[in-house]
């Protein structure tokens, strides 16, 4: 079912300007008058050159906001393509007063247009859309096309953390990481019954766990 557009959405998005870094080139639905987003400048945005962590597909922002609260020495940025969802995340951050978290609107394939090479220390892929039809495989966020983007923007010691409830997407991810020069570590077929510590649950994760579904997890680093 398609999500109903929130009331006063455009006004609410405009009011989130202090936490929104901009709109990536693909973001054109009802945003045609917005200026082209400038390249990301870590020190200019946050007033400090601390490590940068990125969540792709942040949803309503619960995970990334908790990460920012618990790690004040990290600069966090989050990407979300759905305005209806993004506005909730940005309003939450505004209300919380968190200063080390900002947002982009748009899709992951345009990240290289705003993020410099070797500028991101960690990437989070939490419960990304699995796109179950094989004809849509190129849209999965662990398709080789996306892995090349991540390879470009990650620091030499950077790595990716992925969580999903979808076994087929997880197998697809393991295969693509392995075949495209990435090292895998802390791979788990049931995260919540593993010894991997420090997990912060997303809204989806809480729901799936409540249904008794296992959470698949991996970390992928550059060789």
């Amino acid at each position: 079912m398609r999500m109903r557009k929130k009331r006063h959405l455009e006004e609410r998005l405009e009011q989130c300007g202090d936490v929104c870094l901009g709109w990536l080139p693909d973001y054109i639905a009802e945003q045609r008058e917005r200026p082209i987003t400038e390249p990301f400048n870590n020190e200019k945005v946050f007033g400090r050159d601390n490590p940068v962590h990125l969540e792709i597909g942040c949803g309503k922002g619960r995970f990334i906001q908790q990460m920012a609260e618990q790690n004040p020495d990290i600069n966090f940025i989050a990407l979300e393509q759905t305005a209806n969802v993004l506005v909730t995340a940005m309003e939450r951050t505004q209300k919380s007063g968190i200063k080390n978290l900002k947002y982009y609107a748009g899709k992951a394939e345009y990240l290289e247009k705003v993020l410099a090479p070797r500028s991101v220390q960690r990437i989070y892929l939490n419960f990304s859309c699995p796109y179950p039809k094989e004809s849509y495989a190129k849209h999965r966020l662990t398709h080789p096309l996306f892995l090349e983007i991540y390879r470009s923007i990650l620091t030499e010691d950077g790595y990716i953390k992925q969580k999903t409830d979808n076994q087929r997407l997880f197998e697809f991810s393991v295969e693509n990481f392995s075949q495209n020069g990435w090292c895998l570590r802390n791979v788990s077929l049931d995260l919540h019954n593993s010894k991997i510590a420090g997990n912060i649950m997303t809204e989806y994760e809480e729901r799936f766990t409540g249904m008794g579904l296992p959470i698949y997890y991996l970390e992928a680093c550059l060789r």
Side-chain angles (χ1 to χ4, degrees):
M1 181 182 296
R2 188 173 181 179
M3 183 183 299
R4 180 179 298 177
K5 181 178 177 180
K6 286 184 168 62
R7 294 184 63 185
H8 309 296
L9 177 60
E10 294 306 310
E11 295 175 24
R12 291 168 64 182
L13 289 169
E14 291 295 339
Q15 291 169 1
C16 293
D18 58 328
V19 295
C20 184
L21 294 172
W23 315 85
L24 301 192
D26 66 305
Y27 196 89
I28 59 174
E30 300 182 19
Q31 310 296 335
R32 301 178 192 278
E33 301 301 320
R34 296 190 184 278
I36 297 174
T37 298
E38 295 181 357
F40 174 73
N41 184 309
N42 192 18
E43 192 163 359
K44 181 178 178 180
V45 169
F46 292 105
R48 58 188 193 173
D49 196 24
N50 290 24
V52 174
H53 290 192
L54 164 69
E55 184 181 15
I56 300 175
C58 68
K60 296 179 181 178
R62 186 173 100 172
F63 169 84
I64 200 68
Q65 183 166 308
Q66 288 188 40
M67 288 293 294
E69 288 173 339
Q70 294 180 18
N71 300 275
D73 294 331
I74 302 294
N75 295 340
F76 290 89
I77 54 180
L79 177 72
E80 174 57 49
Q81 65 174 328
T82 305
N84 256 4
V85 178
L86 175 64
V87 72
T88 298
M90 294 195 296
E91 288 176 343
R92 278 183 175 179
T93 298
Q94 282 185 319
K95 186 175 181 179
S96 71
I98 294 172
K99 302 300 182 184
N100 61 325
L101 171 58
K102 305 290 183 181
Y103 297 86
Y104 278 114
K107 296 182 180 180
E109 49 260 53
Y110 292 90
L111 282 170
E112 285 181 296
K113 292 185 177 294
V114 291
L115 298 178
R118 307 290 181 262
S119 62
V120 176
Q121 187 183 63
R122 195 168 303 167
I123 295 174
Y124 303 97
L125 303 176
N126 293 321
F127 301 92
S128 310
C129 180
Y131 291 101
K133 292 183 179 181
E134 287 304 314
S135 58
Y136 287 89
K138 67 179 182 181
H139 297 291
R140 298 170 189 163
L141 290 181
T142 49
H143 186 277
L145 293 174
F146 288 105
L147 299 189
E148 286 306 303
I149 295 174
Y150 308 151
R151 184 186 299 275
S152 171
I153 64 176
L154 276 173
T155 59
E156 290 186 3
D157 61 344
Y159 62 97
I160 295 169
K161 287 189 172 187
Q162 182 188 21
K163 290 193 288 186
T164 181
D165 66 303
N166 189 285
Q167 183 179 350
R168 289 183 63 189
L169 175 61
F170 189 72
E171 293 170 349
F172 176 85
S173 301
V174 169
E175 180 179 357
N176 281 313
F177 279 123
S178 300
Q179 292 181 357
N180 287 275
W182 296 71
C183 292
L184 297 180
R185 64 192 186 194
N186 293 328
V187 177
S188 175
L189 303 181
D190 190 353
L191 173 61
H192 294 170
N193 287 312
S194 73
K195 296 182 180 180
I196 299 171
N199 181 54
I200 293 178
M201 294 179 69
T202 72
E203 291 96 334
Y204 283 116
E205 186 173 357
E206 193 171 75
R207 183 192 309 170
F208 296 141
T209 301
M211 295 167 60
L213 299 175
I215 304 302
Y216 302 92
Y217 176 86
L218 64 77
E219 296 174 8
C221 58
L222 299 168
R223 290 178 177 172

